Amino acid sequence: MSAPTPAQAATMVEIRGVYKEFGHGPSAVHVLRGIDLDIPRGTVTVILGPSGSGKSTLLRCVNELEDITAGSIVVDGDRMGYREDDKGVLHRLHPREVARQRRRIGMVFQRFHLFPHMTALENVMEAPVQVARVPKAQARARAAELLARVGLSDRADHYPAQLSGGQQQRVAIARALAMKPELMLFDEPTSALDPELVGEVLAVMQDLAASGMTMIVVTHEIGFAREVADKVVFMDQGVVVEEGPPSAVIDAPREQRTKDFLAHVL
């Protein structure tokens, strides 16, 4: 493989002509309809859009939790889910290879998905120990550092049921960071939280963005998008309607669909 050009090196995620259908034939549901996006390395991209616009499905396709119907997704020069042979024929990767690709991507969901029988510290340690075979002492030290980073050193020995929703989501972020990902995906990370807990999670995400982590964030938090995003993408009905800096898409949208959405959520 030839060395990447400077433009390629500066792009962390390259999405080209991505379609996603659920089902087959006339009854198929077309969720993504030809998505083209570039996510520059070290930037924050916020995806806005109404429910059912395909935002979460797009994130799941980036992380290979859903197979795309057509198109390609390349993360850090690596085509997700496939390899191309010398004749240009695509071959589906073995699940082990897909899992190896996925290890470089951290994902935080709406629901926290913490193991209820494990403490916060044990939840953060689990993947490095079980998946990456990191020695337990090393994983424990790293987990303690990450809990400190998200402001939860004093909750390390607490179980999920003993934590607020905001605290559980911060543990989930620490857990995703434990695998040292190159890319972080956030799928409406504050939508399941009480309003007074949203700020503490957004503050952690803002700190993460300031550290240079490449992030794709699906959210309805317009304030976060305006303050933290380098690029805002507005999706509707499975297509990208418009994209650009927050000052353009949020404060001066060109498309009527974007204007209608923002009038509803602001």
Side-chain angles (χ1 to χ4, degrees):
M1 180 185 267
S2 60
T5 66
Q8 290 171 325
T11 301
M12 173 62 81
V13 184
E14 183 183 281
I15 299 170
R16 290 290 178 269
V18 166
Y19 288 77
K20 175 61 181 176
E21 300 173 9
F22 290 100
H24 302 282
S27 61
V29 179
H30 301 268
V31 180
L32 300 176
R33 301 167 180 263
I35 302 291
D36 291 308
L37 273 180
D38 286 319
I39 310 296
R41 188 182 305 275
T43 64
V44 178
T45 299
V46 169
I47 303 179
L48 303 175
S51 296
S53 59
K55 310 181 302 293
S56 295
T57 298
L58 180 60
L59 279 197
R60 292 175 65 82
C61 288
V62 171
N63 203 22
E64 276 289 304
L65 296 175
E66 298 284 358
D67 294 337
I68 61 176
T69 305
S72 67
I73 298 176
V74 175
V75 176
D76 197 23
D78 207 5
R79 183 165 183 157
M80 299 300 289
Y82 296 88
R83 65 173 177 82
E84 189 173 335
D85 67 18
D86 296 339
K87 298 177 181 178
V89 177
L90 293 177
H91 301 273
R92 186 80 176 127
L93 294 179
H94 188 278
R96 271 200 307 272
E97 295 174 288
V98 172
R100 196 175 303 119
Q101 287 184 327
R102 196 181 287 137
R103 276 169 56 173
R104 299 183 305 162
I105 304 172
M107 188 156 183
V108 178
F109 300 87
Q110 296 178 38
R111 300 288 170 181
F112 324 121
H113 298 308
L114 299 178
F115 295 112
H117 62 289
M118 294 183 179
T119 64
L121 188 75
E122 290 166 343
N123 265 282
V124 178
M125 288 174 58
E126 181 70 3
V129 170
Q130 298 299 330
V131 178
R133 303 301 180 196
V134 174
K136 276 193 174 183
Q138 185 179 331
R140 182 179 297 274
R142 167 83 172 150
E145 287 175 15
L146 289 169
L147 287 176
R149 182 174 180 179
V150 299
L152 289 174
S153 289
D154 60 340
R155 295 290 189 271
D157 295 326
H158 286 56
Y159 291 90
Q162 299 171 306
L163 302 173
S164 71
Q167 289 169 339
Q168 290 186 60
Q169 192 63 295
R170 285 187 280 157
V171 173
I173 293 172
R175 180 181 59 183
L177 292 172
M179 291 295 285
K180 300 182 179 178
E182 300 167 26
L183 169 68
M184 284 285 287
L185 310 177
F186 293 86
D187 186 7
E188 301 200 30
T190 60
S191 64
L193 301 178
D194 293 331
E196 67 268 21
L197 302 178
V198 168
E200 66 189 57
V201 173
L202 294 180
V204 170
M205 293 169 62
Q206 196 157 0
D207 174 68
L208 196 56
S211 75
M213 175 65 74
T214 309
M215 297 163 58
I216 308 176
V217 183
V218 169
T219 185
H220 288 296
E221 299 292 339
I222 302 298
F224 176 84
R226 186 181 274 120
E227 291 176 31
V228 181
D230 298 286
K231 177 162 69 174
V232 173
V233 176
F234 176 71
M235 286 181 62
D236 192 21
Q237 298 182 357
V239 301
V240 172
V241 177
E242 63 180 297
E243 62 178 289
S247 58
V249 177
I250 296 175
D251 298 326
R254 302 184 310 275
E255 302 294 332
Q256 189 60 46
R257 280 191 282 177
T258 315
K259 294 174 184 178
D260 292 344
F261 172 79
L262 291 169
H264 179 72
V265 299
L266 287 175

